Amino acid sequence: NFTEDSMQLFNDHFQNYKRYAIPKAQLIIADIPYNIGNNAYGSSPEWYIGGDMKNGESKKAGKAFFDTDKNFNVAEYMHFCSKMLVKEPKQRGKAPCMIIFCSFEQQFMLIEQAKKHGLNNYINLVFRKNYSPQVLKANMRIVGNCEYALLFYRDKLPKFNNNGKMIFNCMDYVDDKKKKLHPTQKSVNVLMNLIQIFTDEGDVVIDPCAGSGSTLVAANECGRKSYGFEIKKDFCKMAQSWFAEIKSQGRLF
C-alpha cells in the first residue's frame, strides 16, 4: 500500500475493498479499460515506427495496453460503485455521483449496467482537445479530438458547485503538461475541475482504477481525501514517487 497522508493507493483489485475499511465516497471517478483488445494503438501514431505510417508498424501494432484489459468486469465495477458511494441524503444538492471516462461505443452498455445497480440517471460529458492522437491517413480527414465520460447518479441531482452558474456538458480538455506515467492518464487539470464541481473540501474521492495516481493527486490539490486501487505494481511505484515528491514540496493539504 502506498500512502502519503491524504492520498492512499492500494496495490490490489477494487473487489477486495472490504479488507481496507475505507470511507464511502462523495465522488467515484475512473478511467476504465476501453476493452478495445488488440487495437489499443489503432488510432495512435505509436502504431507506426516514429509515428509515420511510411516507416511500417511498430512493436505496439496489434497490441493491447494491458493484459488485464480484457478481463475487466463492468458489472463488478458498478456493484463496487453502488456500494461505495455515500447514501442518498435527505437534503437536496448533496447527493453523490460517479464519473466514468470511456470510449464512445461503451456509453450505451454502461448506461444499462448502471441502471441495474440503482444508478438510474446520467449526464454525458465530452472533453474537447485542441489536438488529435489519431494518425491522419489518406482516407481519414475527420480525426477524433474528444474524450468521453458519463456522470451517473441515483435519484437526486448530485452536489454541484459552480456559483449558481450552468455548466455545458462539452468542456475544453486542459492538458497539464505534467508527468505522463500511464498510457491513458487523464490531465490533472481536468480531474481537478470535476472534483471541485462535485465535491466539497474534505469530501472523499475514490478511483477504483487508479493507474499512476493522477486522480489522487488532483484530489489532494483540491483539499479532498482520496483512495485508489491499482493492480499493477509498476504503476503503484510510480504513484508512490509522485506522492513523495508532492509531500517534499509541502503540498499535502
Side-chain angles (χ1 to χ4, degrees):
N1 300 337
F2 304 91
T3 303
E4 287 296 349
D5 300 329
S6 61
M7 301 178 284
Q8 295 190 38
L9 179 61
F10 304 102
N11 183 202
D12 202 349
H13 195 287
F14 61 78
Q15 285 179 285
N16 301 320
Y17 69 95
K18 290 183 180 179
R19 70 178 62 167
Y20 301 107
I22 63 176
K24 295 192 175 183
Q26 182 68 31
L27 173 66
I28 296 178
I29 182 168
D31 183 13
I32 66 171
Y34 286 7
N35 290 326
I36 47 183
N38 293 336
N39 293 317
Y41 294 93
S43 62
S44 169
E46 294 181 74
W47 184 279
Y48 301 105
I49 297 173
D52 190 337
M53 60 187 301
K54 294 179 182 178
N55 297 331
E57 295 181 348
S58 71
K59 293 181 179 179
K60 294 181 177 180
K63 300 289 179 64
F65 281 135
F66 310 109
D67 55 8
T68 52
D69 283 5
K70 61 182 179 295
N71 299 321
F72 187 80
N73 189 310
V74 172
E76 291 175 353
Y77 178 86
M78 290 295 184
H79 174 75
F80 168 86
C81 294
S82 66
K83 294 297 182 182
M84 288 307 296
L85 284 173
V86 297
K87 290 183 178 180
E88 199 87 333
K90 292 182 179 179
Q91 63 268 49
R92 297 176 62 181
K94 298 293 182 180
C97 66
M98 61 180 288
I99 297 173
I100 303 179
F101 287 92
C102 58
S103 67
F104 179 84
E105 292 80 5
Q106 278 182 307
Q107 294 180 92
F108 313 102
M109 173 271 291
L110 290 171
I111 290 168
E112 291 305 312
Q113 283 288 340
K115 288 180 180 178
K116 293 178 182 178
H117 292 82
L119 296 157
N120 301 311
N121 300 284
Y122 71 91
I123 300 171
N124 65 307
L125 304 175
V126 179
F127 301 89
R128 179 180 53 232
K129 297 179 177 179
N130 61 359
Y131 61 93
S132 174
Q134 291 189 338
V135 180
L136 186 60
K137 300 178 181 177
N139 62 348
M140 185 188 288
R141 290 293 179 265
I142 298 178
V143 294
N145 71 321
C146 293
E147 293 267 1
Y148 299 95
L150 288 165
L151 183 153
F152 291 107
Y153 59 99
R154 297 184 183 112
D155 296 307
K156 295 179 181 178
L157 282 170
K159 183 182 291 185
F160 187 87
N161 300 321
N162 197 41
N163 298 319
K165 298 178 182 178
M166 70 174 67
I167 289 181
F168 295 124
N169 75 323
C170 183
M171 312 176 188
D172 287 330
Y173 189 97
V174 182
D175 202 357
D176 50 25
K177 307 296 183 184
K178 292 184 180 180
K179 297 178 183 292
K180 183 69 173 178
L181 305 176
H182 192 283
T184 60
Q185 183 173 310
K186 294 294 175 282
S187 162
V188 171
N189 286 331
V190 171
L191 295 168
M192 285 178 60
N193 184 46
L194 295 172
I195 290 167
Q196 288 170 332
I197 292 172
F198 297 106
T199 65
D200 292 325
E201 286 192 12
D203 280 345
V204 171
V205 177
I206 295 177
D207 186 342
C209 308
S212 56
S214 56
T215 298
L216 280 66
V217 170
N220 175 73
E221 295 287 341
C222 297
R224 278 67 163 169
K225 298 176 182 178
S226 58
Y227 302 83
F229 294 86
E230 173 54 44
I231 58 176
K232 291 289 189 180
K233 286 185 178 180
D234 288 346
F235 289 124
C236 285
K237 289 180 180 178
M238 292 178 188
Q240 182 185 31
S241 297
W242 198 358
F243 296 171
E245 180 183 332
I246 290 170
K247 184 175 183 179
S248 70
Q249 296 170 352
R251 289 166 45 211
L252 291 180
F253 85 89

